Amino acid sequence: QPDRETLTWQGFGDASRELTTSIVESGWVPDLIIAIARGGLVPAGAISYAMGVKAIGTMNVEFYTGVGETLEEPVLLPPLMDVSAMDGKRVLVVDDVADSGKTLKMVMDLIAEHGLSLDGETTVRVEARSAVIYEKPRSIIHPDYVWRVTDKWINFPWSTLPVITA
Ligand code: 5GP
C-alpha cells in the first residue's frame, strides 16, 4: 500500500479558494475554463464560482483504470469539445492532479496544435494556462498554478467512497 494523502471536502474548499487567489493575484483572468473530466470537474466548478467565470467546457480524458494502474496513453473520449470555441480566448485548463502529467500535457498540446493548424505557424490565438490542486514531483509538465506538491497517492473527497448501487 503506497502512502496516502487524504483531501477532505473542507480541505478541498480551502484549496480551491487558495488556488483561485493565486491565479487572480498573478493578474491573469481566463475567459473560459476547461475541466479535464472527470477529475477536474469538481475543482473547475469550484474555481469557476470563486472567480466568477461562468464559461466552462470539458474535455473527457481517461488514463487511470485503478490505483496506480493506467492505460498506455491517455485517450480522449466523447463527447468532444469543439476546440475552435477557444479561439482568441484566455483558457484555464483545470485538473485534480498532474501525476505523470501525461493527461494535462495531452490536453495542453491539443490546444496548442489547434492554434498551429489554423495557418501552419505559431499563433497567439489561444492563451492556455493550467491549474491543478496537486502536482507530483515526477510530472512531465509543470502546471502554471499548483496548490500543493506531493508524491503520495491522493484520496479525493469525490472518489473515495464506493459507488452507490441499487
Ligand atoms: P496523469 O496523467 O497526470 O498521470 O494523471 C491523470 C489523472 O489520473 C488525474 O487527473 C487523476 O484523475 C488520476 N490520478 C493520478 N494520480 C492520482 C492520485 O494520486 N489520486 C487519485 N485519486 N487520482 C489520481
Side-chain angles (χ1 to χ4, degrees):
Q1 279 285 352
D3 237 7
R4 304 284 180 127
E5 161 118 5
T6 296
L7 185 66
T8 62
W9 278 114
Q10 183 60 54
F12 163 68
D14 295 340
S16 311
R17 297 290 301 186
E18 286 177 30
L19 187 54
T20 302
T21 301
S22 73
I23 299 166
V24 172
E25 283 183 347
S26 76
W28 188 84
V29 176
D31 305 300
L32 172 66
I33 294 173
I34 298 293
I36 303 183
R38 290 179 297 163
L41 282 173
V42 183
I47 290 170
S48 137
Y49 273 102
M51 261 189 193
V53 172
K54 293 181 181 176
I56 287 220
T58 67
M59 291 182 63
N60 198 6
V61 182
E62 178 160 280
F63 189 27
Y64 282 71
T65 52
V67 175
E69 289 170 18
T70 66
L71 305 170
E72 280 192 6
E73 292 298 323
V75 281
L76 203 56
L77 300 175
L80 300 181
M81 158 115 201
D82 178 7
V83 190
S84 64
M86 300 180 197
D87 283 359
K89 301 228 155 74
R90 282 181 298 261
V91 178
L92 181 67
V93 177
V94 179
D95 208 351
D96 49 358
V97 47
D99 186 322
S100 69
K102 285 187 178 179
T103 301
L104 187 59
K105 185 173 188 302
M106 178 192 152
V107 171
M108 299 309 280
D109 285 352
L110 218 119
I111 295 171
E113 280 160 22
H114 168 70
L116 287 176
S117 67
L118 293 170
D119 60 4
E121 295 171 33
T122 308
T123 65
V124 285
R125 284 171 167 279
V126 184
E127 193 199 330
R129 295 191 186 182
S130 55
V132 295
I133 303 180
Y134 289 101
E135 178 183 348
K136 307 255 177 117
R138 68 183 187 123
S139 176
I140 57 170
I141 185 172
H142 294 296
D144 297 285
Y145 305 100
V146 175
W147 181 63
R148 292 276 191 278
V149 178
T150 183
D151 59 2
K152 296 177 180 155
W153 182 265
I154 306 140
N155 290 328
F156 289 103
W158 48 85
S159 55
T160 302
L161 295 174
V163 169
I164 298 164
T165 57

